[in-house]
Amino acid sequence: MKKLIKQKEHFLKDMLDGLVIANDDIDIIAETIVVRRHKKSQGVAIVSGGGSGHEPAHAGYVAQGMLDAAVCGEVFTSPTPDKVLEAIKAVDTGDGVLLVVKNYAGDVMNFEMAQEMAEMEGIQVEMIIVKDDISVSEATQRRGVAGTVFVHKYVGYLAEQGMTLKDIKEKGEAVASQIKSIGMSLTPPMVPTTGQYGFDIDDNDIEIGIGIHGEKGIERIQYEEIDCIVERLLGRLLKESQAQSLIVMINGMGGTPLSELNIVTKFSARYLEEQNREVAQWFVGDYMTSLDMQGFSITLLPSDEALLKALQAPTASRYF
């Protein structure tokens, strides 16, 4: 295995050390919690997190206009409840804390435990669980994937506007329920801490409906040209999203060149136009990755004026 690391046991620490060097507006506390260097004096604080390997999520979104803290677990491993609790306590201003959590069993369990512990200490805590991955048929079991980043930006904006914890949760959940995503991959990710690939796949096959933790997809098909892949993914998404005006994210999975993401964008735009759907805003790049997986996901979100204003509002994060 050839990876650009020193020791696999130090992967997370070395990565976070480098992140802080390159971003002088964040700090690390308790070894694995990334916080804004200048804590807010008032207003609701936004906390997210999960396993590492999805960069720039989640630590890259700790910035004015988005998150106040990100709790980083080891690669593809949920952070422990005590770390989440420490993050909550570090950023709480007295106006409450909102947790944004992807719908994975370990994340939900550990963040819920931390929420209960924080409430026992008198801190108001609410939670939004993101379930945007339509590749899972059962709605309650749908995973949180790239659409989670839209939630980060939206609730971060609402917090900057001085909204209450109750109102931010209500509005954030309403938006989260409308987000739909699905992804594909040409190759699995190489997990540096184990030296193993997430799954095996033949050169002439692709995975449809992959997760972001190295999971294989729900369907394996023979390789087909990009316009056909885009039509396959968008065809499924449009069955669940009837909106005429859309916000669209073309998200790289970590190993996909920007040139290829732009090609995906071209054929996505063509297909959406054929389906009489308008795109109000494009987001193209790496937002929620899976280490070095070669592939992409598409996320759709119905557009309206207020939502566009929130997503287009300034943020200090260089990754959104």
Side-chain angles (χ1 to χ4, degrees):
M1 178 186 73
K2 292 191 292 184
K3 299 296 290 182
L4 302 178
I5 61 176
K6 177 68 172 176
Q7 294 175 277
K8 62 183 182 181
E9 296 83 4
H10 295 166
F11 179 89
L12 177 56
K13 180 182 185 304
D14 290 346
M15 183 266 289
L16 292 179
D17 286 347
L19 185 71
V20 170
I21 291 170
N23 297 269
D24 58 9
D25 53 351
I26 59 175
D27 278 325
I28 298 174
I29 62 172
E31 298 182 339
T32 60
I33 301 168
V34 179
V35 297
R36 288 164 61 173
R37 179 157 293 173
H38 303 291
K39 176 183 173 180
K40 291 190 300 196
S41 60
Q42 61 183 5
V44 175
I46 312 297
V47 176
S48 190
S52 298
H54 309 301
E55 289 70 35
H58 303 81
Y61 303 125
V62 176
Q64 180 274 329
M66 293 190 77
L67 303 179
D68 292 279
V71 195
C72 304
E74 296 292 337
V75 175
F76 297 164
T77 303
S78 175
T80 58
D82 62 302
K83 292 288 188 180
V84 180
L85 176 62
E86 193 152 357
I88 292 170
K89 294 167 68 174
V91 299
D92 178 43
T93 67
D95 292 324
V97 176
L98 178 67
L99 305 177
V100 179
V101 184
K102 302 183 303 302
N103 192 34
Y104 289 88
D107 285 349
V108 173
M109 178 180 68
N110 289 347
F111 276 78
E112 283 182 341
M113 290 177 63
Q115 177 183 15
E116 292 171 1
M117 291 187 290
E119 289 172 342
M120 291 174 62
E121 297 191 29
I123 302 174
Q124 301 178 72
V125 182
E126 295 287 355
M127 183 185 302
I128 294 175
I129 300 175
V130 185
K131 309 173 183 177
D132 57 311
D133 181 8
I134 70 162
S135 67
V136 179
S137 57
E138 176 56 49
T140 61
Q141 301 300 315
R142 288 183 169 180
R143 302 169 291 197
V145 288
T148 308
V149 180
F150 281 151
V151 181
H152 290 165
K153 183 62 173 69
Y154 183 62
V155 298
Y157 169 81
L158 297 182
E160 293 287 341
Q161 304 311 301
M163 285 194 178
T164 66
L165 179 59
K166 178 182 177 182
D167 287 344
I168 296 173
K169 174 183 168 66
E170 181 179 323
K171 289 179 176 294
E173 284 187 328
V175 166
S177 68
Q178 300 179 72
I179 301 172
K180 310 296 179 183
S181 303
I182 190 170
M184 61 77 62
S185 69
L186 302 173
T187 66
M190 162 62 76
V191 182
T193 51
T194 65
Q196 302 294 318
Y197 286 102
F199 52 85
D200 296 322
I201 187 170
D202 293 336
D203 287 344
N204 62 338
D205 288 340
I206 61 175
E207 292 282 333
I208 303 294
I210 46 90
I212 57 171
H213 297 94
E215 311 101 313
K216 64 181 182 179
I218 59 167
E219 180 184 2
R220 180 169 293 186
I221 64 173
Q222 285 197 321
Y223 173 79
E224 53 190 16
E225 293 184 339
I226 186 57
D227 55 335
C228 298
I229 296 173
V230 165
E231 182 174 343
R232 182 184 295 274
L233 299 185
L234 279 174
R236 297 187 184 189
L237 287 168
L238 292 181
K239 289 179 181 178
E240 301 215 12
S241 183
Q242 307 304 315
Q244 292 302 304
S245 181
L246 296 165
I247 297 165
V248 182
M249 175 184 286
I250 306 297
N251 171 63
M253 299 307 296
T256 309
L258 182 57
S259 55
E260 294 180 24
L261 295 181
N262 285 329
I263 292 171
V264 172
T265 303
K266 170 185 174 177
F267 289 105
S268 296
R270 177 182 296 180
Y271 183 77
L272 289 169
E273 183 178 3
E274 291 171 353
Q275 302 303 310
N276 298 311
R277 305 295 183 99
E278 172 193 352
V279 178
Q281 178 81 50
W282 291 93
F283 292 85
V284 180
D286 285 347
Y287 296 96
M288 177 80 72
T289 63
S290 182
L291 293 170
D292 59 352
M293 179 185 283
Q294 293 185 49
F296 68 93
S297 63
I298 303 177
T299 298
L300 302 184
L301 173 60
S303 176
D304 62 42
E305 186 176 343
L307 186 53
L308 273 176
K309 182 179 180 180
L311 296 182
Q312 293 172 348
T315 173
S317 171
R318 64 184 64 180
Y319 304 106
F320 186 88

